[in-house]
Amino acid sequence: MNTRYILTSARERDIDRLAAIELAAARLLIGHAPEPVLKETTSQGVLEEAQRNGHLWVALADDTPVGFAHVEVLEPDAAHLEEIDVDPEHGRRGLGRRLVMQVCEWAAGADYESVSLITFRDVPWTMPFYATLGFEAVPTFELSRALRAVVEDERCRGIDSSRRVVMRRPCAAA
Ligand SMILES: CC(C)(COP(=O)(O)OP(=O)(O)OC[C@H]1O[C@@H](n2cnc3c(N)ncnc32)[C@H](O)[C@@H]1OP(=O)(O)O)[C@@H](O)C(=O)NCCC(=O)NCCS
């Protein structure tokens, strides 16, 4: 029987499942990110706050989270898609695409001008995946102070900045 997926705002009870999804999805990035980074997960406290603020969405299979998207508001006019992960057992079924679009629709409705994210330049599918959803690479000189700080934080955690790309989608495209 085909699994029926539902996308929804995360509920408090969903939060405990998200670290396992993040770790499982990170295995897709082996060879692209340092191993210690692949073992990092978003802290419970950050996820709880995001859930309370309505900045966390989940994809549910039979009421169990199998993917999530987490937004941080780092600057007044933009929403930052800080994390998106789909359990590979449920991958390639459109959930990643639906989660990104859910965030973009929410951001447009909340009057943000754009949605940003940071991804790997050299993972073959990531930039094309976001490009098909309307995201474009942002040149380094155009980066806001907040996004520069995120890239710098990543660098301190061992992620090579030259392999990262900031992408942005105007909400007007929604
Ligand atoms: C990126 C991610 C969220 C996509 O989730 P998903 O539910 O598998 O995505 P979708 O089913 O919506 O895929 C949309 C398209 O993206 C591309 N794509 C996504 N994942 C891919 C993969 N592992 N390999 C090749 N292409 C992929 C394909 O073109 C796919 O369309 P298709 O299946 O019709 O060919 C998921 O792979 C993931 O959690 N990855 C680990 C974390 C990560 O890479 N985050 C982003 C970079 S920082």
Side-chain angles (χ1 to χ4, degrees):
M1 201 177 78
N2 282 345
T3 309
R4 190 166 157 261
Y5 295 103
I6 292 173
L7 261 69
T8 180
S9 292
R11 307 155 299 181
E12 224 178 311
R13 67 176 186 269
D14 295 327
I15 289 174
D16 283 349
R17 315 283 307 212
L18 304 190
I21 296 170
E22 195 169 344
L23 290 171
R27 306 321 291 162
L28 294 170
L29 298 175
I30 290 173
H32 296 285
E35 192 58 29
V37 170
L38 298 180
K39 295 197 166 118
E40 288 177 4
T41 56
T42 310
S43 80
Q44 184 92 359
V46 166
L47 291 172
E48 283 168 0
E49 190 183 350
Q51 189 272 333
R52 281 195 299 272
N53 292 338
H55 294 166
L56 189 63
W57 292 263
V58 285
L60 302 173
D62 299 327
D63 211 42
T64 300
V66 296
F68 72 96
H70 166 216
V71 162
E72 288 204 347
V73 177
L74 306 173
E75 45 202 336
D77 55 354
H80 184 66
L81 179 53
E82 171 63 27
E83 188 69 45
I84 176 162
D85 294 295
V86 172
D87 182 336
E89 283 192 23
H90 298 267
R92 308 297 295 270
R93 290 170 219 197
L95 294 180
R97 191 183 304 270
R98 285 172 64 189
L99 281 164
V100 174
M101 292 319 292
Q102 175 87 41
V103 166
C104 291
E105 279 160 31
W106 164 81
D111 283 340
Y112 290 104
E113 281 177 19
S114 61
V115 175
S116 61
L117 58 85
I118 307 180
T119 190
F120 286 96
R121 253 179 218 288
D122 50 359
V123 176
W125 72 86
T126 51
M127 284 185 78
F129 168 64
Y130 294 116
T132 60
L133 299 175
F135 285 81
E136 288 183 356
V138 183
T140 308
F141 69 87
E142 266 188 35
L143 291 183
S144 64
R145 185 184 295 198
L147 289 173
R148 278 175 201 272
V150 179
V151 174
E152 176 58 15
D153 176 69
E154 288 188 348
R155 196 185 62 74
C156 293
R157 284 165 38 227
I159 305 177
D160 177 356
S161 306
S162 70
R163 298 176 62 199
R164 299 291 274 165
V165 58
V166 176
M167 299 185 80
R168 185 169 57 203
R169 180 185 193 273
C171 286

